[in-house]
């Protein structure tokens, strides 16, 4: 198969993956899910560490329904490589906290060790916005 045709086939497969990936959601869809009752689960993928005054690590977010349905947050940015779905990764606490505050959470905590998780629930009362 010619090289150009192979690239076109790979891009078409990436687009099909987007249609067949019901367990992922972009930022706009993520916010809608949270507002409709899904919980936010923050998962620490790498131990956090402090460099100067900034905490670094690797965190990913999931929206989880009461029934246990999980939707992984992904980026909406187009990739030149044809890989259209990328998990949204937060590499600093500043980015993670900013994103959570933009979702409507007024109290923010975060896991610092690989494998730890923290769950947030959006509610009407500010006192009930986070739980573990």
């Amino acid at each position: 198969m010619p090289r150009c045709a192979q690239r076109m086939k790979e891009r078409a497969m990436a687009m099909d993956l987007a249609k067949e990936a019901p367990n992922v959601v972009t930022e706009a869809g993520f916010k809608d899910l949270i507002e409709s009752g899904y919980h936010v689960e923050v998962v620490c993928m790498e131990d956090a560490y402090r460099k100067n005054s900034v905490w670094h690590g690797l965190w990913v977010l999931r929206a989880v329904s009461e029934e246990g349905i999980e939707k992984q947050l992904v980026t909406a940015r187009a990739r030149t490589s044809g890989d259209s779905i990328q998990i949204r990764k937060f590499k600093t606490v500043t980015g993670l906290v900013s994103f959570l505050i933009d979702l409507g959470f007024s109290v923010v905590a975060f896991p610092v060790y690989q494998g730890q998780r923290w769950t947030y629930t959006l509610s009407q009362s500010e006192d009930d916005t986070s739980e573990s």
Side-chain angles (χ1 to χ4, degrees):
M1 180 181 296
R3 194 171 178 178
C4 182
Q6 179 64 28
R7 275 192 239 141
M8 289 176 63
K9 182 178 178 183
E10 289 171 2
R11 286 187 180 141
M13 288 173 60
M15 285 189 270
D16 288 344
L17 178 62
K19 292 177 186 172
E20 297 175 13
N23 59 338
V24 299
V25 64
T26 61
E27 187 175 326
F30 193 83
K31 185 170 176 98
D32 290 343
L33 289 173
I34 302 313
E35 290 173 350
S36 72
Y38 276 64
H39 307 288
V40 174
E41 182 180 64
V42 178
V43 182
C44 183
M45 304 301 287
E46 293 178 1
D47 288 354
Y49 62 94
R50 190 171 68 181
K51 183 176 179 181
N52 298 321
S53 62
V54 178
W55 281 92
H56 297 264
L58 186 62
W59 295 270
V60 296
L61 301 181
R62 296 183 185 129
V64 183
S65 73
E66 290 291 332
E67 297 81 25
I69 298 169
E70 295 181 1
K71 304 278 187 173
Q72 182 81 46
L73 179 63
V74 296
T75 65
R77 300 179 188 117
R79 304 286 183 195
T80 57
S81 65
D83 188 8
S84 60
I85 296 180
Q86 292 287 321
I87 293 174
R88 172 86 187 263
K89 298 173 185 173
F90 296 88
K91 297 180 181 179
T92 66
V93 169
T94 304
L96 176 63
V97 168
S98 296
F99 186 82
L100 291 168
I101 289 172
D102 288 346
L103 285 176
F105 298 102
S106 60
V107 177
V108 178
F110 55 92
V112 295
Y113 296 112
Q114 182 176 0
Q116 284 184 325
R117 299 163 190 268
W118 191 264
T119 303
Y120 298 89
T121 303
L122 199 58
S123 69
Q124 301 301 326
S125 169
E126 286 188 20
D127 293 337
D128 298 333
T129 56
S130 67
E131 56 186 56
S132 175

